[in-house]
Amino acid sequence: MSFFTLRHLSGVAGAVLVSAPALAQVSPSAQTSATRLDPITVTAARAPQPLSAALGDVTVIDADTIARAGQSSLADLLQREHGIDVATNGGPQTVTSVFIRGANSAQTVFLIDGARVGTSTAGGAGINAIPLSQIERIEILRGPASSLYGADAIGGVINIITRRGSPDTALALTGSVGYGSWNTQKADIGLSGSQGVWNYALALGHARSDGYSAAKPGEPGGLYHADRDGYKLDTASGRLGMMWAEGQELEASFFQSRLNGQYDGGASFNQRAVQKIESLGLASNNRINSLWTSRLRAVKTVDDNVSVTSATRSSYFRTRQTQFSWQNDLAIAPGQVLSLAAERREEDVDSDTRFNATGRNTNSALAIYRADLGRNHLQANLRYDRVSSYGNRTTGGLSYGFDLTPAWQLTAAANTGFRLPTFNDLYYPGFSNPNLQPEKSKNYEAGVRYRQGGTTGSLIAYHNKVDNLIQYQGRATVVNKDATLRGITLTAAQQFGATSVRGSIDIVDPKDNNTGQQLTRRARQVLKLAGDHPLGAWRVGAEWVLSGKRSDTSYNASIGQFGANETTRLGGYSLLNLTASYDITRQAQVQIRWNNVMDKDYELARGYATPGSNVFVNLVYRP
């Protein structure tokens, strides 16, 4: 698929902005506080339910929050949420790790519109190639969720929902153009609407940046190369739906992105990685009767990564996943829902590195029971996975909530999870281990939640024991170990008139039980605070992060390996970000984001740079 260039896309988006109706500027007296509806989540139980009814530790990042994010990447946005730590190898275009509750990055399942994306060779997903411009909503489910989503969901699940059509408008246009530090340029345009039985949405985006050096000079490991490491990112997504009868819909969707990002690997050559993510899906959503709904879906996803390491050398890893699912939701009694589903996932890998095996299949069946019975709330999950070459895996989850008062609720949960070794873990020449066992986890947690008017808060304690944790040890060895992930999370949000304040404290102990050492690249203590306040047509805000120390493993670029049991301590840091927006009209807005105001020098991964003080200005049109 061909993509718009920045010049063409900026012109189209700019035309949309300029042609916006010249409505009167919003005055302070005309501004009113919008009633905040309870968000809907589908990830916590694989079916729609109010966020306040979900028993898990769930966050929904809505469209308004995403629209105000400005220059932020998906990783930046996730890092502002409680229970999540992020590390990059030198910039938004480089390899990005997401740690939920101290779990390894490969222990998080990433979904696009409910379908898995990611690599079966390295594990995890290339979220650096997923821009915010294509996203309508993000749902985060923390804690083991293999009983809902199968293998790898030990840390949690992140579900990225792409833009959808506007059901009440024949044609709605959106667009934005922005410019910032390091010659960063972004532009996107979207159109959506409905006509008769049809509804549709299409979004296109382009971004580029000259960037900064991915590696830091003078750091051990020999990674540094004296140049800037920038990127180009092109994306497109769309969907087409046909409501052929009441409660009966056919839907086709696609997502595609291509990131060409430079990185430092210690050589004089300007190294780069080309990351492609694709998803193509068909679904049939059917209301059989007032008590029974059905969803049949087929999705194919591709994760393709090509690393260009010299003028004559490159390497590639490609993962294709074909997924089929059929889910039926049955209202079996007032306040009680039973969901039954069958799934099949086919993984196929291709690489210029020779693997002893290049595919595996998983057949699954699961049941989810939810009940809201007065002050008592229950969710029980049971899933069976049959994996070729690994046999059977059965996982379960049980969550309970009790309403002490209309505002206070006690919760408790127990869940199991598992993760399969990747193809790199099993077959990569030089450091693989074909005798690796799948990881297994048992998680227990308890919490208390408060929700009253404009005030919300929660306190959650969890203990996640992971057996057979897959870890790299020494220069060329991957082994099974045991680990414990335990912690406490405190969150609070308060509305003081027009002012919103929110914050969280995470105290995490992700420990290797064999050595007693802290797992790398994640902090044990993190404090996050944010707030915003309207001033006439302006809205101003601030974000502050205070992170504790973390450890990392030294890397030697000259031999391309991690050091044998060589660990180093990365210092803690604090970051202050400022935001502001100005409503030009009811539909057009200028946004300003100033990140790392104090220009702090810090590391998330040893030897790799992080952004200094930077500014981004965005012009947005939303009907």
Side-chain angles (χ1 to χ4, degrees), residues 106 165 218 225 250-251 319-320 325 327 354 408:
H225 177 215
L250 293 174
E251 182 182 70
T319 297
R320 298 182 182 92
S325 65
Q327 180 167 323
R354 184 176 179 85
W408 289 94

Side-chain angles (χ1 to χ4, degrees), residues 204-219:
L204 302 170
H206 179 87
R208 70 171 307 278
S209 177
D210 293 343
Y212 52 89
S213 177
K216 302 179 70 174
E219 292 285 348

Side-chain angles (χ1 to χ4, degrees), residues 46 106-111 116-117 120 124 144-157 321 323 343 345 347 360-364 383-387 390-391 393-395 416-422 438-441:
R46 294 178 53 125
Q107 294 172 331
T108 294
V109 167
F110 283 89
L111 311 171
R116 277 178 178 253
V117 293
S120 296
S146 288
S147 59
L148 292 170
Y149 295 97
D152 309 330
I154 287 179
V157 176
Q321 298 189 68
Q323 304 165 66
E343 295 182 337
R345 180 163 67 111
E347 300 172 79
R360 63 187 173 204
N361 302 324
T362 303
N363 295 313
S364 310
R383 181 180 177 112
Y384 171 84
D385 292 279
R386 183 175 182 84
V387 186
Y390 271 103
R393 292 289 182 273
T394 301
T395 51
T416 61
F418 76 102
R419 174 182 170 248
L420 298 174
T422 67
E439 299 176 350
K440 298 184 296 182
S441 75

Side-chain angles (χ1 to χ4, degrees), residues 57 104 127 135 140 197 218 250 275 312 361 404 434 477 483 518 546:
D57 186 1
N104 286 342
I127 67 167
I135 302 174
I140 305 167
V197 299
L250 293 174
Q275 174 83 46
T312 59
N361 302 324
L404 289 172
T477 308
Q518 178 181 344
L546 178 62

Side-chain angles (χ1 to χ4, degrees), residues 103-187:
N104 286 342
S105 187
Q107 294 172 331
T108 294
V109 167
F110 283 89
L111 311 171
I112 293 183
D113 296 324
R116 277 178 178 253
V117 293
T119 166
S120 296
T121 53
I127 67 167
N128 48 330
I130 304 176
L132 295 181
S133 62
Q134 305 295 320
I135 302 174
E136 181 175 287
R137 191 173 82 253
I138 302 170
E139 299 187 9
I140 305 167
L141 173 61
R142 301 166 182 84
S146 288
S147 59
L148 292 170
Y149 295 97
D152 309 330
I154 287 179
V157 176
I158 296 178
N159 192 4
I160 298 165
I161 292 92
T162 58
R163 291 183 176 181
R164 278 161 165 68
S166 174
D168 304 320
T169 307
L171 176 63
L173 292 173
T174 62
S176 71
V177 289
Y179 184 83
S181 303
W182 309 301
N183 193 29
T184 301
Q185 305 168 43
K186 295 186 179 183

